[in-house]
Amino acid sequence: MSLVNIKAALETALNSITPSMPTFWENMSIDEPLSLPMQQVFLITMPPANPEYGQGYQERGFIQVSLRYPLKSGSGEAIARAEVIRSHFKRGFSFSFSGDVVTISETPSITASVTLDHYFLAVKIPFYSNQLG
């Protein structure tokens, strides 16, 4: 169940950031007022890497933290939060859960977008986890 452990390791690391922020995980309803800042989290996987036959494989992907802020409130607070997340998930840092070690493979990227009612910043945190077997 490596993906379950990888997800738990990354979510635990995200939960340890202070100050905390209302967080909505995959496939959960949003029960906060949409006028408040919040973050949504998604685990996005890529095809596993198979460097050698019989030597296990490498799970790869990224966790995306979508910061959601009301329109017309400026970008400063959102950018500051994105930078806090980026500094928490530095390239080379590792997090573990139930025996699976997850390593941040690159510096997280930050991209912005706007919808009819929100300003979004997506923080993409690339990772890998070597799976033996």
Side-chain angles (χ1 to χ4, degrees), residues 3-51:
L3 284 177
V4 170
N5 292 342
I6 289 167
K7 187 174 189 293
L10 294 168
E11 288 178 354
T12 300
L14 183 64
N15 274 336
S16 72
I17 295 175
T18 55
S20 64
M21 181 175 206
T23 303
F24 298 91
W25 309 103
E26 291 179 74
N27 200 28
M28 290 183 65
S29 64
I30 296 174
D31 56 3
E32 293 284 323
L34 295 179
S35 60
L36 297 176
M38 63 184 74
Q39 60 189 14
Q40 293 176 282
V41 183
F42 304 93
L43 178 71
I44 298 151
T45 59
M46 299 181 336
N50 298 96

Side-chain angles (χ1 to χ4, degrees), residues 66-93:
S66 295
L67 300 173
R68 185 173 165 165
Y69 285 77
L71 280 181
K72 300 179 184 173
S73 61
S75 61
E77 185 181 339
I79 292 170
R81 180 65 181 196
E83 288 179 333
V84 166
I85 293 169
R86 177 189 266 175
S87 69
H88 190 73
F89 289 94
K90 291 182 180 175
R91 179 178 174 257
F93 277 26

Side-chain angles (χ1 to χ4, degrees), residues 3 6 10-11 13 26 37 52 62 65 74 83 94 105 111 113 123 129:
L3 284 177
I6 289 167
L10 294 168
E11 288 178 354
E26 291 179 74
E52 296 180 35
F62 61 93
V65 181
E83 288 179 333
S94 293
S105 57
T111 56
S113 64
V123 182
S129 179

Side-chain angles (χ1 to χ4, degrees), residues 118-130:
H118 283 92
Y119 174 72
F120 284 92
L121 282 181
V123 182
K124 293 182 180 180
I125 305 163
F127 70 85
Y128 69 87
S129 179
N130 294 320

Side-chain angles (χ1 to χ4, degrees), residues 99-119:
D100 281 305
V101 178
V102 183
T103 303
I104 306 307
S105 57
E106 297 175 31
T107 300
S109 64
I110 301 169
T111 56
S113 64
V114 177
T115 65
L116 292 175
D117 57 355
H118 283 92
Y119 174 72

